[in-house]
């Protein structure tokens, strides 16, 4: 929490004239989504600045482009909370609601934010849940159990494109569109679009 607020005060030079949000970042999007996208945490100069997860950062640029191309978003980009971006049949939430140092949340931070993730599952009941990265994959299982989803006896390992039925919904694994993954080619635009196209098929 202290680090999140310090970043909002010190700021990055490119955003020096902006007022940072600097508080926990809630989920946003469709109130009755078919697809729930579960991310890691707000970026220090992305969601922590704009107040909206994946808004104003490089990961979001990749994510929104894919969502737009499959029909889950109205714009290819999202730079700030009032930019007209809207999700169609989709909602986004982070497993950790505050920007962590080095974008690496701890298990303690994950557990402290778990009730918020559970609440999102409780009031949305999506058909498909897309976990972006291994951290989100690990965090979603206890929340699914607490929300009453029927889970398999053994938890499958995370992987890109892994599909797991969880009651009347499907959990879908997707590599996180982090700069590390996109720069190295571990994640491509086509891979992201394929995942969200599959999410649409499963949710129809």
């Amino acid at each position: 929490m202290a680090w999140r607020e310090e970043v909002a005060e010190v700021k990055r030079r490119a955003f020096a004239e902006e007022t940072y949000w600097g508080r926990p970042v809630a989920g946003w999007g469709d109130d009755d989504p078919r697809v729930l996208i579960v991310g890691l945490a707000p970026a220090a100069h992305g969601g922590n600045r704009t107040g909206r997860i994946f808004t104003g950062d490089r990961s979001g640029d990749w994510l929104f482009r894919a969502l737009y191309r499959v029909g889950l978003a109205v714009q290819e980009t999202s730079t700030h909370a009032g930019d007209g971006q809207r999700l169609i049949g989709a909602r986004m939430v982070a497993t950790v609601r505050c920007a962590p140092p080095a974008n690496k949340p701890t298990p303690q931070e994950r557990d402290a934010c778990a009730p918020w993730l559970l609440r999102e599952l409780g009031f949305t009941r999506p058909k498909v849940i897309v976990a972006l990265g291994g951290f989100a994959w690990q965090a979603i299982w206890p929340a699914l159990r607490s929300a009453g989803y029927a889970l398999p006896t053994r938890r499958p390992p995370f992987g890109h494109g892994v599909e797991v039925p969880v009651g009347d919904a499907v959990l879908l694994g997707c590599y996180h569109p982090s700069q590390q993954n996109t720069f190295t080619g571990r994640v491509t635009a086509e891979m992201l679009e394929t995942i969200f196209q599959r999410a649409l098929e499963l949710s129809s």
Side-chain angles (χ1 to χ4, degrees):
M1 183 174 69
W3 189 84
R4 168 200 83 204
E5 292 171 357
E6 180 185 343
V7 168
E9 288 296 323
V10 176
K11 304 179 184 179
R12 180 175 281 172
R13 184 178 297 175
F15 309 120
E17 302 305 313
E18 295 188 26
T19 300
Y20 275 51
W21 172 255
R23 285 170 279 179
V25 177
W28 75 283
D30 200 314
D31 289 338
D32 186 23
R34 292 176 292 155
V35 180
L36 180 67
I37 302 160
V38 183
L40 180 70
H45 304 283
N48 190 52
R49 172 175 59 90
T50 63
R52 201 167 71 181
I53 188 72
F54 285 114
T55 299
D57 64 56
R58 296 283 176 84
S59 296
D61 291 344
W62 282 75
L63 184 58
F64 285 117
R65 191 178 304 118
L67 294 175
Y68 172 77
R69 288 182 179 175
V70 303
L72 287 170
V74 299
Q75 296 177 179
E76 277 193 298
T77 60
S78 187
T79 55
H80 59 90
D83 62 4
Q85 180 62 286
R86 185 170 54 85
L87 301 180
I88 306 166
R91 187 173 179 84
M92 293 181 176
V93 64
T95 56
V96 171
R97 289 159 55 95
C98 296
N103 202 33
K104 292 182 179 177
T106 64
Q108 291 76 21
E109 289 173 304
R110 177 198 64 204
D111 295 345
C113 293
W116 299 103
L117 184 55
L118 174 59
R119 189 166 184 179
E120 287 277 354
L121 284 173
F123 78 73
T124 56
R125 302 304 293 191
K127 293 286 186 182
V128 178
I129 301 151
V130 179
L132 297 176
F135 191 92
W137 183 266
Q138 293 298 324
I140 197 66
W141 286 93
L144 289 169
R145 182 178 296 107
S146 298
Y149 285 79
L151 304 183
T153 358
R154 296 183 64 183
R155 181 185 300 181
F158 170 73
H160 187 81
V162 170
E163 296 180 17
V164 185
V166 286
D168 58 356
V170 176
L171 176 61
L172 185 55
C174 178
Y175 288 150
H176 194 287
S178 65
Q179 283 187 284
Q180 181 180 358
N181 284 343
T182 55
F183 283 174
T184 59
R186 190 182 193 206
V187 172
T188 65
E190 184 181 3
M191 288 169 68
L192 287 176
E193 288 176 38
T194 300
I195 286 290
F196 288 108
Q197 189 61 56
R198 179 60 177 157
L200 275 177
E201 291 168 4
L202 291 168
S203 66
S204 60

